[in-house]
Amino acid sequence: MAPWALLSPGVLVRTGHTVLTWGITLVLFLHDTELRRWEEQGALLLPLAFLLLVLGSLLLYLSVSLMDPGYVNMQPQEESREEHAAMVPQVVALRRCRYCLVLQPLRTRHCQECGRCVRRYDHHCPWMENCVGERNHPLFVAYLALQLAVLLWALSLACPGGSGCSPAGSCVPPSCCCVSLPWWPACSWPRTSTWWPATPLPGSSWPHTASPTSASAPATPSTAD
């Protein structure tokens, strides 16, 4: 394998996805989240279940990304006609691809990115650098469902207070997302996340509240000249 092959888009996308997945998982275990508290208390069932879900989603991602989506073989015309005759009635005419010049079975389309014809072509996924077609479509749907479950669970762990607002729900943005940075004013509500500081910065005027002096000072009626 040539060294520059390691810099291909497929390798970079899959490596970035793997590193990001395990990086976020490591952050959730290192910070003061429910996962870490469960681990410290010896309740390992839920942390192991979370790790298994992450591992399962990553394996499904790599499977869908690396497997053959259903490419049409570059085979002689006679073999392709025999295969098509076994699938559909003879009244349906074969269509020849104008790009790779192969005879296409029904529901086959040519992928411009891959340069191949794919059976039951759905789309070309740039986040996987692979087509979604006849062979990997069921695994692709399973991956989406499992990844959604992992993301929702990770979001609930990172932001356990939900919206993180006061009982009136008037804190914008949520206190679980209020990072104490010079360019982002922190919330003054009691924090609901144990790993985002929610202490307002010194001199911060957000959220805008009336000062005690201005609130208690009586209004002076204006007098006409």
Side-chain angles (χ1 to χ4, degrees), residues 71-72 74 97 99-102 104 109-118 121 124 131:
Y71 293 127
V72 177
M74 307 292 289
C97 178
Y99 297 102
C100 54
L101 302 179
V102 298
Q104 295 179 331
R109 286 186 57 189
H110 184 86
C111 177
Q112 298 281 359
E113 286 79 7
C114 297
R116 300 282 300 274
C117 287
V118 182
Y121 176 83
H124 182 89
C131 293

Side-chain angles (χ1 to χ4, degrees), residues 28 31 37 43 102 131 156 171:
L28 291 176
H31 283 280
R37 286 195 287 272
V102 298
C131 293
S156 67
C171 176

